[in-house]
Amino acid sequence: MSDIEYKEWLNLANKELKEREIDDLKWKTPEGIEVKPLYTENDLKKIKHKIGLPGLPPYTRGPRATMYANRPWTIRQYAGFSTAEESNKFYKEGLKNGVMGLSVAFDLATHRGYDSDHPRVVADVGNAGVAIDSVEDMNMLFDGIPLEKMSVSMTMNGAVIPVLACFIASGLNQGCPLAKLTGTIQNDILKEFMVRNTFIFPPKPSMRIVADIIEYTSKNMPKFNSISISGYHMQEAGANQVQELAYTLADGKEYINAALKRGLDIDEFAPRLSFFWSIGMNFFMEIAKMRAARYMWSEIVSKFNPKNKKSLALRTHCQTSGVSLVEQDAYNNIVRTTIEAMAAIMGGTQSLHTNSFDEALALPTPFSARIARNTQLILAEETGINNVIDPLAGSYYLESLTSEMISEANKLIDEIDEAGGMVKAIEMGIPKMRIEESSAKKQARVDSEEEIVVGVNKYKPTEKQDINILSIDNDDVRTRQVSNLKKLKGSRNNKIVDEYLNKIETAAKDDSQNLLEICVEAAKNKCTVGEMTSAMEKVFGRHTLSTKTISGVYSKTIKKSEKISSINDHIEKFIEKNGRRPRMLVVKMGQDGHDRGAKLIATAFSDLGFDVDVGPLFQTPSEAATQAIENDVHIIGVSSLAAGHKTLVPILMKALKENDANYIKVICGGVIPPQDYDFLKKLGVSKVFGPGTNIPEAAIEIINML
């Protein structure tokens, strides 16, 4: 393009803009990247990354030479429903209707290494996933599904050793050789310490477990991905795309170093490392993120001098965003998921899960799950997307954006390296703080309508939509699981069980032994997930997280408005009347470690003038009630995501009543189906707030009820 052509375009643009200038059309992404209104071939001259060809280093255009033109991405459906029997039925139905691989969601009790009969998990069994207590449950989960032919992805990190051991034992029970087991175990414990919090053991022994799994699978399961290094939960916790990109790759470097310390050669395990991205609504940013990731990973791994080119290739699974789903005008979520799925495909994913539109309300119904699955089938079968390999390569805008993301992400990786690596950075709280700041800024932009969410802060529906939701009877699931556990323990050889549990404990003390190898034998002999976890816990201990909140970020980002002024007036009147600020305790009860909502509320309400205490993760209702009374709070804010509210909130209300503390108001927020609002209000809950709630408006409502 010549200078003359550009000047001609600029003159035309200025005429159309009239009183504005072309620079007025520039905008900054949440990551701080400046985006121009027009990109030209001249911008390609400025990029520093190599675009290359698909299937060849640095793999910017994809890890396979022919990509979808030869074989489409794998359509997965992430699911787990209450019991293994119910989940098995769902998997079989999906496989009949186009699903190519299974993706298992486990319940929170399993994630945290508790058997279903443990007293701390009364509200968690069968919620948000399937309960797996032993190899017997795993056998039922895959009954009639030949593991020799089926790729299985498992989202598991905390109890990763016993759960993977049960999966392997189940495969062996089917007669499937270890070498033919295919799929992925997430096994990404570092991000758990940053965002998701379903950890069990402290960082050091947790990293030992990661290395044990990489070692065992590299030697015995060549078709199995030993780790899925996950940025997904970072973005769900509020990370922007640059943070997700940088911290995920930094985690990958840490895992490589851990495996090398075990004496493994880079080419023994690097080709089986995989990644997992969240795909949100910033369409081009997500595509650029995936291209940047492949280029950067190739550069990172090349420094370890691999001889196999496949060691340099980043392969990935993607899932559409959960946090972009909203309760208000929920059918809009179908459109959001479709756009996000297109971004994942254009970005070159190897497999994809599409969320159901009702997941901001509850677990998906068969109806909503079918729509989510068919979204992928339509894209694969009706659009022609598959016909061309990497169709967006060379786009002036996209390649420029990719280059910018590489540059910005490398700055964050340098910060991690300067801290001494990701483990040290996590101990210092660096990535967690950055992500929580990003989350608070995003919420402030939405609350002040700087960032538009259709149906939430603009174009709001005038009528309520009745949406059928899936309801899980947690008490029934737990009763069944406890009964099955009792039968298992009564029928097995408990002397052999004790021998294997002692072996696990001994191996935990000795780094030269492989814990997964021993746990596979233990699982075959019907040791439970909880028992194997407890044996390791005797040596490693159970990790606890100190609760910290950031301040000032929300208030600095949100635009001043009448709402903010009204809150200030209400706070001042409250202080005049009561001699102190309104005080709130924000709690997460049960084993749900997803704390973005709780942290957002704590940060935002503090910035708006409330005194805010935050309870520790994994509290029981009784512990929460005691803390509220001791701290003399006016309000308890219960954050719920995993459907435990129908079990936990009644226990909390009872505990307050028994301690003559009914004066403390209780409010609930999070993923709570509207159908449950009346149930909670009959218990005495004052207010219920769903996903997409405007925080300043909620603050005014809460002050007015005090």
Side-chain angles (χ1 to χ4, degrees), residues 120 544-548 585-590 592 595 613-620 623-624 627:
R120 295 196 75 87
T544 55
L545 193 69
S546 59
T547 304
K548 297 178 182 177
L585 171 66
V586 179
V587 300
K588 290 284 298 184
M589 299 183 293
D592 178 20
D595 63 349
D613 300 323
V614 182
L617 283 171
F618 317 121
Q619 273 188 312
T620 66
E623 290 165 348
Q627 186 179 359

Side-chain angles (χ1 to χ4, degrees), residues 5-22:
E5 285 178 305
Y6 183 78
K7 286 177 181 178
E8 186 178 358
W9 168 82
L10 191 59
N11 287 332
L12 286 170
N14 285 329
K15 284 180 183 178
E16 292 175 9
L17 289 167
K18 297 179 180 177
E19 296 179 3
R20 292 193 295 166
E21 296 183 359
I22 196 69

Side-chain angles (χ1 to χ4, degrees), residues 142-326:
F142 298 112
D143 181 53
I145 300 172
L147 293 177
E148 190 170 326
K149 299 176 182 178
M150 182 56 58
S151 173
V152 178
S153 173
M154 293 177 285
T155 302
M156 177 54 61
N157 300 285
V160 63
I161 284 269
V163 168
L164 182 55
C166 288
F167 172 77
I168 293 168
S170 185
L172 293 170
N173 286 343
Q174 286 191 5
C176 176
L178 289 179
K180 290 189 177 181
L181 283 172
T182 62
T184 304
I185 188 77
Q186 193 163 96
N187 191 29
D188 179 8
I189 199 63
L190 290 177
K191 68 100 174 56
E192 298 294 328
F193 293 113
M194 277 188 265
V195 290
R196 192 164 173 252
N197 301 315
T198 53
F199 46 74
I200 298 175
F201 311 119
K204 188 176 179 181
S206 294
M207 287 297 291
R208 183 259 176 103
I209 285 169
V210 170
D212 278 2
I213 291 170
I214 293 174
E215 180 184 55
Y216 182 92
T217 54
S218 297
K219 291 178 179 176
N220 301 292
M221 301 162 66
K223 294 184 177 181
F224 196 85
N225 299 320
S226 58
I227 190 168
S228 175
I229 306 159
S230 174
Y232 184 88
H233 299 99
M234 296 182 198
Q235 190 178 142
E236 292 292 283
N240 61 48
Q241 278 88 338
V242 167
Q243 290 170 340
E244 180 190 7
L245 172 61
Y247 295 149
T248 305
L249 296 182
D251 282 351
K253 283 174 66 177
E254 198 80 14
Y255 294 133
I256 285 177
N257 284 320
L260 293 175
K261 285 178 183 176
R262 292 298 296 267
L264 295 175
D265 183 83
I266 185 74
D267 290 321
E268 283 186 82
F269 63 90
R272 302 310 304 176
L273 300 178
S274 65
F275 287 77
F276 175 25
W277 305 113
S278 175
I279 305 296
M281 284 297 289
N282 195 330
F283 187 77
F284 289 104
M285 184 70 80
E286 293 292 3
I287 298 169
K289 176 186 76 183
M290 295 174 71
R291 297 173 72 81
R294 288 192 291 268
Y295 174 84
M296 292 175 70
W297 186 245
S298 179
E299 292 286 294
I300 288 168
V301 178
S302 66
K303 293 173 182 174
F304 295 96
N305 300 313
K307 296 178 179 64
N308 184 354
K309 287 182 180 179
K310 290 182 179 179
S311 295
L312 303 169
L314 184 151
R315 297 164 302 105
T316 191
H317 170 71
C318 290
Q319 181 174 335
T320 59
S321 172
V323 78
S324 70
L325 305 176
V326 296

Side-chain angles (χ1 to χ4, degrees), residues 320-438:
T320 59
S321 172
V323 78
S324 70
L325 305 176
V326 296
E327 177 187 4
Q328 301 90 332
D329 217 359
Y331 288 113
N332 288 343
N333 293 334
I334 298 173
V335 181
R336 294 186 178 100
T337 294
T338 303
I339 293 166
E340 291 165 353
M342 287 182 65
I345 294 161
M346 292 296 188
T349 191
Q350 279 62 70
S351 66
L352 177 62
H353 166 80
T354 35
N355 288 331
S356 301
F357 72 87
D358 52 359
E359 289 186 55
L361 304 169
L363 284 171
T365 63
F367 171 75
S368 65
R370 182 175 177 81
I371 292 174
R373 181 174 64 246
N374 286 352
T375 299
Q376 292 196 58
L377 291 171
I378 290 167
L379 288 170
E381 302 288 349
E382 297 186 24
T383 63
I385 283 175
N386 297 356
N387 296 341
V388 177
I389 304 164
D390 190 27
L392 295 185
S395 158
Y396 307 144
Y397 172 42
L398 187 60
E399 298 296 359
S400 297
L401 191 57
T402 300
S403 186
E404 289 279 359
M405 291 198 76
I406 292 168
S407 175
E408 292 301 310
N410 275 325
K411 291 176 185 176
L412 292 181
I413 290 174
D414 288 343
E415 181 182 43
I416 299 300
D417 288 342
E418 288 168 11
M422 188 51 98
V423 172
K424 291 284 180 65
I426 287 170
E427 290 171 349
M428 295 164 67
I430 295 172
K432 194 174 187 69
M433 179 187 66
R434 296 269 186 267
I435 291 169
E436 288 181 6
E437 286 175 351
S438 174

Side-chain angles (χ1 to χ4, degrees), residues 511-612:
D511 287 355
S512 68
Q513 295 192 54
N514 191 293
L515 279 164
L516 180 55
E517 185 176 353
I518 296 166
C519 283
V520 168
E521 294 303 314
K524 285 161 64 177
N525 284 280
K526 301 183 181 181
C527 294
T528 69
V529 168
E531 289 169 338
M532 288 186 269
T533 301
S534 293
M536 289 183 278
E537 189 181 340
K538 288 177 182 178
V539 180
F540 298 150
R542 189 171 277 265
H543 184 64
T544 55
L545 193 69
S546 59
T547 304
K548 297 178 182 177
T549 56
I550 57 170
S551 61
V553 174
Y554 181 88
S555 57
K556 285 177 184 175
T557 306
I558 193 165
K559 291 181 178 177
K560 302 303 177 187
S561 64
E562 291 182 11
K563 291 177 190 175
I564 303 299
S565 298
S566 177
I567 293 168
N568 293 334
D569 292 342
H570 279 78
I571 294 282
E572 290 303 318
K573 288 177 182 176
F574 187 93
I575 294 172
E576 286 177 19
K577 183 180 176 181
N578 298 278
R580 61 181 179 132
R581 296 178 181 277
R583 191 174 190 91
M584 176 188 288
L585 171 66
V586 179
V587 300
K588 290 284 298 184
M589 299 183 293
Q591 299 304 307
D592 178 20
H594 296 84
D595 63 349
R596 176 184 183 171
K599 287 290 185 70
L600 268 177
I601 292 299
T603 295
F605 272 71
S606 179
D607 282 4
L608 291 172
F610 285 67
D611 283 336
V612 181

Side-chain angles (χ1 to χ4, degrees), residues 453-520:
V453 183
V454 173
V456 175
N457 60 8
K458 198 172 183 179
Y459 314 114
K460 298 178 184 180
T462 55
E463 297 179 359
K464 285 189 176 181
Q465 296 170 329
D466 289 325
I467 295 173
N468 291 324
I469 61 148
L470 181 69
S471 180
I472 301 294
D473 187 339
N474 164 249
D475 290 335
D476 178 62
V477 176
R478 189 167 187 267
T479 298
R480 283 193 278 167
Q481 287 295 121
V482 170
S483 175
N484 290 340
L485 270 169
K486 192 174 179 179
K487 289 177 187 174
L488 174 82
K489 291 177 180 179
S491 63
R492 68 189 183 179
N493 188 325
N494 285 299
K495 184 180 178 183
I496 292 177
V497 165
D498 289 340
E499 287 174 3
Y500 273 106
L501 293 177
N502 287 330
K503 286 181 180 180
I504 293 170
E505 186 178 344
T506 302
K509 299 173 184 175
D510 182 1
D511 287 355
S512 68
Q513 295 192 54
N514 191 293
L515 279 164
L516 180 55
E517 185 176 353
I518 296 166
C519 283
V520 168

